[in-house]
Amino acid sequence: MTKNPPLAPELPDTLEWINTDKPVKLADCRGKIILLDFWTAGSINCMHMLADLRFLRNKYRDNLVVIGIHSPKFPHDLHAGNVSKSVNRLHIKHPVAHDESKRVCQKYGIKAWPSIVFIDAQGQVIGRLSGEGRRRQLDELIQKYIIFAEKKRVLNVVPVNFKIKQEATSLLNYPGKVLATPSHVYISDSGHNRILEVNHYGRITKIFGSGGAGLLDGTANEAAFNNPQGLFLVNDSLYVADSGNHAIRRINLHTREVLTVVGDGFQGSLTEQIATDPAGISLCSPWDISYKDGVLYIAMSGTHQLWMLDMTENRLSKFSGCGALDLIDGKAEEAAFAQPFGLAMDEYKIYTCDAESSAIRLVRLPGGQVSTLIGKDVSTAGDSDGGLPQALLQHPQSIALDQAKQLLYVADTYNNKIKMVNLKLNSISSLDINADLDEPGGICLCNNTLWVANTNTHQIQKINLLNHEVEVLELNEPEQDF
């Protein structure tokens, strides 16, 4: 054991607690192992860490306390209300404090997200771990220091209970993506772990998924999803980027059967792979999908790459990106993306939203050469229209293409706006609409209507692009079970 490790600095009174009725003090948790999770809302790596913390908290519920310390990366993250939405959307059940000034980060020497500070039962800082993928290491450390605390008789077996506040649910719960056809709209009801089919008047006609988080194939009622996101329709099959399950699912709209076509349900870390058994490989947070000529293109946000599934040969392989989180243009094997969250494509190229670099990237077909339309680097974000070289976005998450008019529509998510990129004029402008947008996470263009998954208001909105009128799609519960 480390000799005389330092005592953990107490959490300051100036912290704003997001989901508890009163501040949490480290002194009140003495006798428990404490994990301080330093995180930021938009990071896919921090999202992955949450799954590990949930596992550990359930395993050691009598001896472990997890406390989240949120730090802002983007201007959007400075507001506690936005952090509260993220906490609810991510189903975080441990106390979270908003460290707006990064004072706690500085006290603990945090330089990267996610980072875990390990505090023993005597309130001493044992160490700091940076980066995701630490479940096994933390599990072993917790076991070791529980035994150590028992020997020293400092382990507190009395439960520490926190009153965790949660947002009331509605018919939709943080919808992530939306796909519109001339007759129907398909919605990733991400917070409810299901897919909805509705008509253009809001009548729910089909529901896929039981509502419980899990990976289960079968009929519409039996199947289970976990934070489903991107959607794409190929003939009578609806493909789903099931991000929380690290899988691609296929829904047969006639038989209503759900089948996993890619992914074994476990998070992977491979950046180079050719798989002839796609269902047996571990993906990493696929967030959106698109399709052309028998190939399904996948925005693999967890490894910061684009992948491709040759559906004729049932072969999965990397398409573009080296796997580093960065903004680097060039050949497919040299280029770097930063958490691609949205895809749109035409005959010769793919457009993608890089959320963490607040960028719009262009990927050439068939070779995967990458260039940047909008964006500076992984640290620069803002809200600036005009010429593309000077334009700034903030964590965009979805993109739609009007090929005939050479226009791109972008969900500029953290700016709460829809932007329009004119590819002929190389300029961008904000769509002038009277709409209460709050982190729009998905958009889809169909017949002069832009359908918007307005994530934080739990709504689908319809924007008439001819007159810019906005209408909320009022959903109606079905009268029968599907």
Side-chain angles (χ1 to χ4, degrees):
M1 300 293 172
T2 305
K3 291 184 178 180
N4 300 320
L7 283 174
E10 185 56 86
L11 301 176
D13 295 333
T14 54
L15 283 178
E16 186 167 3
W17 289 89
I18 299 298
N19 60 345
T20 58
D21 58 341
K22 60 182 180 179
V24 175
K25 293 293 184 182
L26 298 184
D28 296 336
C29 303
R30 196 62 54 85
K32 306 288 187 185
I33 306 299
I34 301 173
L35 300 182
L36 294 183
D37 173 35
F38 290 85
W39 69 291
T40 192
S43 166
I44 195 71
N45 308 97
C46 293
M47 295 179 202
H48 292 160
M49 178 62 79
L50 290 173
D52 292 340
L53 293 175
R54 192 174 298 116
F55 169 84
L56 294 169
R57 192 166 55 85
N58 289 334
K59 183 174 180 179
Y60 299 104
R61 60 178 66 250
D62 293 332
N63 303 117
L64 176 67
V65 171
V66 176
I67 301 172
I69 307 295
H70 178 270
S71 306
K73 173 184 176 181
F74 295 95
H76 167 277
D77 298 330
L78 292 168
H79 304 288
N82 294 332
V83 180
S84 178
K85 286 289 187 178
S86 295
V87 168
N88 280 286
R89 186 175 64 250
L90 296 169
H91 305 292
I92 297 176
K93 302 295 175 59
H94 57 256
V96 175
H98 181 38
D99 186 22
E100 180 183 343
S101 63
K102 300 183 181 177
R103 180 180 170 189
V104 183
C105 278
Q106 293 167 3
K107 273 189 176 184
Y108 282 89
I110 303 300
K111 301 185 185 305
W113 299 301
S115 289
I116 298 291
V117 171
F118 189 102
I119 301 172
D120 72 4
Q122 294 175 278
Q124 301 171 134
V125 176
I126 301 304
R128 181 178 63 240
L129 299 173
S130 297
E132 61 171 292
R134 300 287 192 170
R135 179 185 294 191
R136 180 180 296 179
Q137 191 174 3
L138 286 169
D139 197 348
E140 293 173 353
L141 277 170
I142 292 168
Q143 291 183 44
K144 176 180 178 180
Y145 276 90
I146 286 176
I147 294 172
F148 182 64
E150 287 174 333
K151 289 180 178 179
K152 297 198 72 172
R153 297 184 178 179
V154 295
L155 196 66
N156 180 7
V157 296
V158 178
V160 178
N161 295 316
F162 304 104
K163 291 184 178 179
I164 301 297
K165 298 181 292 185
Q166 297 181 44
E167 188 176 29
T169 60
S170 56
L171 185 53
L172 281 181
N173 191 13
Y174 293 105
K177 301 290 186 183
V178 60
L179 173 67
T181 72
S183 60
H184 288 91
V185 180
Y186 297 92
I187 304 166
S188 288
D189 189 10
S190 307
H192 285 142
N193 304 302
R194 61 183 187 173
I195 306 298
L196 304 183
E197 178 192 84
V198 306
N199 65 23
H200 284 204
Y201 303 99
R203 185 68 178 167
I204 298 175
T205 53
K206 295 175 185 174
I207 298 175
F208 302 97
S210 63
L215 179 61
L216 184 65
D217 291 343
T219 64
N221 290 333
E222 297 170 341
F225 298 87
N226 187 355
N227 191 28
Q229 292 291 332
L231 305 166
F232 203 93
L233 189 62
V234 182
N235 299 321
D236 295 324
S237 294
L238 181 66
Y239 288 86
V240 182
D242 195 5
S243 64
N245 280 323
H246 311 288
I248 304 297
R249 318 290 293 281
R250 184 178 68 217
I251 301 173
N252 186 313
L253 295 179
H254 283 315
T255 66
R256 301 181 181 179
E257 292 285 329
V258 179
L259 178 68
T260 302
V261 294
V262 186
D264 60 3
F266 297 97
Q267 180 189 335
S269 58
L270 294 174
T271 57
E272 299 284 344
Q273 178 78 19
I274 296 177
T276 54
D277 179 22
I281 193 171
S282 298
L283 304 185
C284 193
S285 295
W287 211 268
D288 203 7
I289 47 181
S290 194
Y291 173 86
K292 181 180 182 295
D293 296 338
V295 177
L296 199 69
Y297 293 91
I298 305 167
M300 200 74 71
S301 61
T303 58
H304 315 291
Q305 294 173 307
L306 302 187
W307 284 56
M308 58 188 291
L309 174 67
D310 186 322
M311 297 169 68
T312 302
E313 299 184 6
N314 196 35
R315 183 179 66 180
L316 179 74
S317 60
K318 183 195 82 171
F319 175 60
S320 186
C322 65
L325 191 162
D326 211 334
L327 194 155
I328 299 174
D329 292 341
K331 297 178 181 178
E333 62 273 14
E334 300 169 353
F337 297 90
Q339 204 168 301
F341 262 12
L343 298 178
M345 64 188 303
D346 62 19
E347 291 184 46
Y348 305 109
K349 48 193 169 294
I350 300 174
Y351 299 95
T352 179
C353 293
D354 263 11
E356 281 295 283
S357 61
S358 298
I360 303 298
R361 318 292 295 282
L362 187 153
V363 187
R364 299 285 179 182
L365 297 172
Q369 178 95 8
V370 181
S371 57
T372 299
L373 289 180
I374 301 173
K376 308 296 183 185
D377 52 53
V378 295
S379 301
T380 303
D383 184 2
S384 181
D385 293 347
L388 298 189
Q390 293 78 41
L392 293 175
L393 304 170
Q394 190 180 178
H395 211 269
Q397 294 187 14
S398 190
I399 190 166
L401 172 65
D402 186 333
Q403 189 169 351
K405 297 179 181 178
Q406 284 295 282
L407 297 175
L408 281 174
Y409 293 93
V410 178
D412 193 3
T413 306
Y414 278 9
N415 282 325
N416 301 319
K417 292 183 177 181
I418 303 297
K419 300 288 184 77
M420 185 173 67
V421 179
N422 190 315
L423 297 172
K424 294 178 181 177
L425 301 178
N426 288 320
S427 65
I428 185 171
S429 59
S430 299
L431 209 57
D432 184 15
I433 53 175
N434 183 19
D436 179 25
L437 295 179
D438 192 344
E439 290 191 36
I443 57 175
C444 182
L445 180 65
C446 182
N447 295 338
N448 291 315
T449 298
L450 195 66
W451 299 80
V452 181
N454 198 23
T455 303
N456 283 355
T457 65
H458 317 292
Q459 293 175 332
I460 302 300
Q461 296 191 355
K462 302 160 57 177
I463 302 174
N464 185 324
L465 295 174
L466 299 179
N467 57 23
H468 286 195
E469 290 185 355
V470 181
E471 178 185 350
V472 174
L473 183 68
E474 298 292 344
L475 297 188
N476 299 303
E477 286 273 20
E479 295 177 355
Q480 63 187 84
D481 293 330
F482 295 101

